[in-house]
Amino acid sequence: MTMRIVLLGPPGSGKGTQAALLKERLGVVHISTGDLLRTAVAEGTELGKQAKAAMDAGELVSDDLMLGLIEEKLGQPEVAPGFILDGYPRNQAQAEALDKLLDRLGQPIDRALELVVDEEQIVKRLATRAEEEGRSDDTEEVVRNRLAVYREQTAPISDHYDNKGLLVRVDGIGEIEEINQRLAAALS
Ligand code: AP5
Ligand code: MG
């Protein structure tokens, strides 16, 4: 069964962690725009050069660049069994652009899952990751801005999916495997 999922949730809510487990469970492709952008930055591609400043500040990269990236990914044959979109869409314009694109491809979203995690827990998780991995946007100041951007631009798009009857909110606190069970249950 094909399954096309949008995974929503604030920075550090576990989108990447959970998508990696879900993709195995469902046999679908995991598309993380943040991972794609970090690879582009590391490789020094044109996209990476254009995205870097916004990423380092915890701001959103331009909608045009993001749509180009997502169009390219969703046009590939390996997404036929389905996909988990992690980190896209991130504002109302992106949500509408994605609807149009998926309409054109005849591949509508089946479910939007939102991981619910409070900000105190997020700040703790990302402070730990900053020490362990040194991701350049995990500094305290940039995390604060990522959270503000999420609140102002990304959180409202849950309504976009709720209005379509596609949204399920899932408690994102607890053991990783336990949360994955909750997500799987929300898909069935
Ligand atoms: P992106 O890479 O998407 O970052 P993010 O949304 O800020 O989220 P993270 O990747 O930090 O967290 P996550 O929810 O994936 O959680 P994770 O599993 O890692 O975006 C980065 C930047 O790219 C943006 O700021 C923007 O500039 C740009 N960008 C990307 N997409 C864009 C778009 N569409 N438009 C414009 N710009 C875009 O977990 C976090 C940590 O917690 C990890 O250390 C993990 O090990 C730990 N953890 C996970 N689960 C648990 C648990 N249950 N208990 C305890 N710890 C846990
Ligand atoms: Mg991530």
Side-chain angles (χ1 to χ4, degrees), residues 55-114:
M55 293 176 76
D56 284 346
E59 297 289 334
L60 296 185
V61 173
S62 81
D63 292 343
D64 282 354
L65 280 181
M66 296 313 301
L67 186 58
L69 183 62
I70 214 77
E71 258 182 317
E72 190 204 316
K73 280 285 148 191
L74 293 180
Q76 288 171 3
E78 68 249 29
V79 304
F83 53 77
I84 304 167
L85 275 182
D86 156 8
Y88 191 94
R90 244 174 158 99
N91 60 25
Q92 185 65 27
Q94 291 184 9
E96 287 168 15
L98 178 64
D99 284 349
K100 270 197 199 149
L101 173 62
L102 293 178
D103 258 2
R104 204 171 77 219
L105 296 170
Q107 299 188 349
I109 292 296
D110 297 302
R111 215 32 127 246
L113 300 172
E114 181 186 335

Side-chain angles (χ1 to χ4, degrees), residues 15 30 38 65 70 78 82 86 113 122 130 148 151 165 174 178 185:
K15 300 183 296 296
H30 173 199
R38 278 183 290 279
L65 280 181
I70 214 77
E78 68 249 29
D86 156 8
L113 300 172
I122 285 166
R151 253 184 262 119
E178 183 191 351

Side-chain angles (χ1 to χ4, degrees), residues 11 122-123 126 137-148:
I122 285 166
V123 168
L126 296 186
D137 60 351
D138 279 343
T139 61
E140 197 187 327
E141 192 194 344
V142 178
V143 166
R144 216 175 287 129
N145 194 42
R146 284 159 65 198
L147 283 167

